[in-house]
PDB file of all heavy atoms in Angstrom:
ATOM      1  N   ASP I  65      18.395   0.302 -19.669  1.00 63.00           N
ATOM      2  CA  ASP I  65      18.515   1.681 -20.015  1.00 63.00           C
ATOM      3  C   ASP I  65      17.031   2.162 -20.187  1.00 63.00           C
ATOM      4  O   ASP I  65      16.727   2.934 -21.087  1.00 63.00           O
ATOM      5  CB  ASP I  65      19.285   1.996 -21.247  1.00 63.00           C
ATOM      6  CG  ASP I  65      19.600   3.507 -21.261  1.00 63.00           C
ATOM      7  OD1 ASP I  65      19.725   4.082 -20.210  1.00 63.00           O
ATOM      8  OD2 ASP I  65      19.722   4.080 -22.341  1.00 63.00           O
ATOM      9  N   VAL I  66      16.145   1.752 -19.262  1.00 64.00           N
ATOM     10  CA  VAL I  66      14.700   2.240 -19.340  1.00 64.00           C
ATOM     11  C   VAL I  66      14.578   3.223 -18.153  1.00 64.00           C
ATOM     12  O   VAL I  66      14.797   2.942 -16.941  1.00 64.00           O
ATOM     13  CB  VAL I  66      13.738   1.013 -19.160  1.00 64.00           C
ATOM     14  CG1 VAL I  66      12.337   1.549 -19.019  1.00 64.00           C
ATOM     15  CG2 VAL I  66      13.989   0.159 -20.292  1.00 64.00           C
ATOM     16  N   THR I  67      14.038   4.413 -18.422  1.00 72.00           N
ATOM     17  CA  THR I  67      13.732   5.389 -17.389  1.00 72.00           C
ATOM     18  C   THR I  67      12.623   5.121 -16.653  1.00 72.00           C
ATOM     19  O   THR I  67      11.728   4.236 -17.147  1.00 72.00           O
ATOM     20  CB  THR I  67      13.680   6.787 -18.004  1.00 72.00           C
ATOM     21  OG1 THR I  67      12.552   6.873 -18.755  1.00 72.00           O
ATOM     22  CG2 THR I  67      14.975   7.241 -18.855  1.00 72.00           C
ATOM     23  N   LEU I  68      12.367   5.587 -15.430  1.00 70.00           N
ATOM     24  CA  LEU I  68      11.099   5.363 -14.739  1.00 70.00           C
ATOM     25  C   LEU I  68       9.956   5.851 -15.642  1.00 70.00           C
ATOM     26  O   LEU I  68       8.866   5.274 -15.608  1.00 70.00           O
ATOM     27  CB  LEU I  68      11.241   6.140 -13.416  1.00 70.00           C
ATOM     28  CG  LEU I  68      10.005   5.989 -12.568  1.00 70.00           C
ATOM     29  CD1 LEU I  68       9.653   4.578 -12.167  1.00 70.00           C
ATOM     30  CD2 LEU I  68      10.165   6.806 -11.191  1.00 70.00           C
ATOM     31  N   PHE I  69      10.036   7.034 -16.219  1.00 76.00           N
ATOM     32  CA  PHE I  69       9.057   7.497 -17.057  1.00 76.00           C
ATOM     33  C   PHE I  69       8.621   6.610 -18.172  1.00 76.00           C
ATOM     34  O   PHE I  69       7.494   6.205 -18.490  1.00 76.00           O
ATOM     35  CB  PHE I  69       9.448   8.970 -17.698  1.00 76.00           C
ATOM     36  CG  PHE I  69       8.306   9.375 -18.602  1.00 76.00           C
ATOM     37  CD1 PHE I  69       7.130   9.935 -18.046  1.00 76.00           C
ATOM     38  CD2 PHE I  69       8.508   9.350 -19.977  1.00 76.00           C
ATOM     39  CE1 PHE I  69       6.169  10.399 -18.867  1.00 76.00           C
ATOM     40  CE2 PHE I  69       7.496   9.955 -20.820  1.00 76.00           C
ATOM     41  CZ  PHE I  69       6.366  10.410 -20.221  1.00 76.00           C
ATOM     42  N   GLN I  70       9.621   5.960 -18.893  1.00 78.00           N
ATOM     43  CA  GLN I  70       9.378   4.980 -19.969  1.00 78.00           C
ATOM     44  C   GLN I  70       8.670   3.782 -19.422  1.00 78.00           C
ATOM     45  O   GLN I  70       7.694   3.183 -20.044  1.00 78.00           O
ATOM     46  CB  GLN I  70      10.695   4.658 -20.561  1.00 78.00           C
ATOM     47  CG  GLN I  70      11.255   5.733 -21.463  1.00 78.00           C
ATOM     48  CD  GLN I  70      12.686   5.338 -21.891  1.00 78.00           C
ATOM     49  OE1 GLN I  70      13.370   4.701 -21.229  1.00 78.00           O
ATOM     50  NE2 GLN I  70      13.024   5.883 -23.182  1.00 78.00           N
ATOM     51  N   ALA I  71       9.180   3.139 -18.169  1.00 76.00           N
ATOM     52  CA  ALA I  71       8.645   2.063 -17.688  1.00 76.00           C
ATOM     53  C   ALA I  71       7.235   2.319 -17.296  1.00 76.00           C
ATOM     54  O   ALA I  71       6.263   1.452 -17.495  1.00 76.00           O
ATOM     55  CB  ALA I  71       9.385   1.603 -16.428  1.00 76.00           C
ATOM     56  N   THR I  72       6.842   3.582 -16.732  1.00 79.00           N
ATOM     57  CA  THR I  72       5.459   3.841 -16.311  1.00 79.00           C
ATOM     58  C   THR I  72       4.605   3.973 -17.500  1.00 79.00           C
ATOM     59  O   THR I  72       3.386   3.521 -17.480  1.00 79.00           O
ATOM     60  CB  THR I  72       5.456   5.224 -15.613  1.00 79.00           C
ATOM     61  OG1 THR I  72       6.384   5.066 -14.406  1.00 79.00           O
ATOM     62  CG2 THR I  72       4.177   5.621 -14.957  1.00 79.00           C
ATOM     63  N   LYS I  73       5.114   4.619 -18.632  1.00 84.00           N
ATOM     64  CA  LYS I  73       4.305   4.786 -19.751  1.00 84.00           C
ATOM     65  C   LYS I  73       4.016   3.400 -20.562  1.00 84.00           C
ATOM     66  O   LYS I  73       2.833   3.185 -20.726  1.00 84.00           O
ATOM     67  CB  LYS I  73       5.211   5.495 -20.827  1.00 84.00           C
ATOM     68  CG  LYS I  73       4.476   5.969 -22.078  1.00 84.00           C
ATOM     69  CD  LYS I  73       5.386   6.908 -22.830  1.00 84.00           C
ATOM     70  CE  LYS I  73       4.887   6.819 -24.367  1.00 84.00           C
ATOM     71  NZ  LYS I  73       5.836   7.745 -25.142  1.00 84.00           N
ATOM     72  N   ASN I  74       4.986   2.498 -20.443  1.00 83.00           N
ATOM     73  CA  ASN I  74       4.737   1.092 -20.996  1.00 83.00           C
ATOM     74  C   ASN I  74       3.701   0.414 -20.104  1.00 83.00           C
ATOM     75  O   ASN I  74       2.863  -0.295 -20.593  1.00 83.00           O
ATOM     76  CB  ASN I  74       6.031   0.291 -20.947  1.00 83.00           C
ATOM     77  CG  ASN I  74       6.927   0.902 -21.987  1.00 83.00           C
ATOM     78  OD1 ASN I  74       6.715   1.659 -22.934  1.00 83.00           O
ATOM     79  ND2 ASN I  74       8.316   0.583 -21.911  1.00 83.00           N
ATOM     80  N   TYR I  75       3.787   0.477 -18.724  1.00 80.00           N
ATOM     81  CA  TYR I  75       2.840  -0.238 -17.839  1.00 80.00           C
ATOM     82  C   TYR I  75       1.439   0.426 -18.079  1.00 80.00           C
ATOM     83  O   TYR I  75       0.548  -0.357 -18.287  1.00 80.00           O
ATOM     84  CB  TYR I  75       3.316   0.117 -16.338  1.00 80.00           C
ATOM     85  CG  TYR I  75       2.288  -0.483 -15.449  1.00 80.00           C
ATOM     86  CD1 TYR I  75       2.324  -1.823 -15.004  1.00 80.00           C
ATOM     87  CD2 TYR I  75       1.375   0.391 -14.817  1.00 80.00           C
ATOM     88  CE1 TYR I  75       1.423  -2.387 -14.060  1.00 80.00           C
ATOM     89  CE2 TYR I  75       0.417  -0.061 -13.957  1.00 80.00           C
ATOM     90  CZ  TYR I  75       0.558  -1.442 -13.614  1.00 80.00           C
ATOM     91  OH  TYR I  75      -0.385  -1.941 -12.692  1.00 80.00           O
ATOM     92  N   ALA I  76       1.386   1.704 -18.317  1.00 85.00           N
ATOM     93  CA  ALA I  76      -0.075   2.265 -18.522  1.00 85.00           C
ATOM     94  C   ALA I  76      -0.567   1.929 -19.776  1.00 85.00           C
ATOM     95  O   ALA I  76      -1.716   1.657 -20.046  1.00 85.00           O
ATOM     96  CB  ALA I  76       0.224   3.826 -18.591  1.00 85.00           C
ATOM     97  N   LYS I  77       0.216   1.589 -20.888  1.00 89.00           N
ATOM     98  CA  LYS I  77      -0.228   1.176 -22.232  1.00 89.00           C
ATOM     99  C   LYS I  77      -0.712  -0.258 -22.000  1.00 89.00           C
ATOM    100  O   LYS I  77      -1.803  -0.578 -22.611  1.00 89.00           O
ATOM    101  CB  LYS I  77       0.814   1.213 -23.310  1.00 89.00           C
ATOM    102  CG  LYS I  77       1.068   2.544 -23.846  1.00 89.00           C
ATOM    103  CD  LYS I  77       2.148   2.354 -24.932  1.00 89.00           C
ATOM    104  CE  LYS I  77       2.421   3.760 -25.522  1.00 89.00           C
ATOM    105  NZ  LYS I  77       3.500   3.705 -26.470  1.00 89.00           N
TER     106      LYS I  77
END
Side-chain angles (χ1 to χ4, degrees):
D65 197 31
V66 175
T67 66
L68 179 60
F69 177 74
Q70 289 169 325
T72 304
K73 186 175 161 185
N74 293 342
Y75 176 84
K77 281 183 181 176

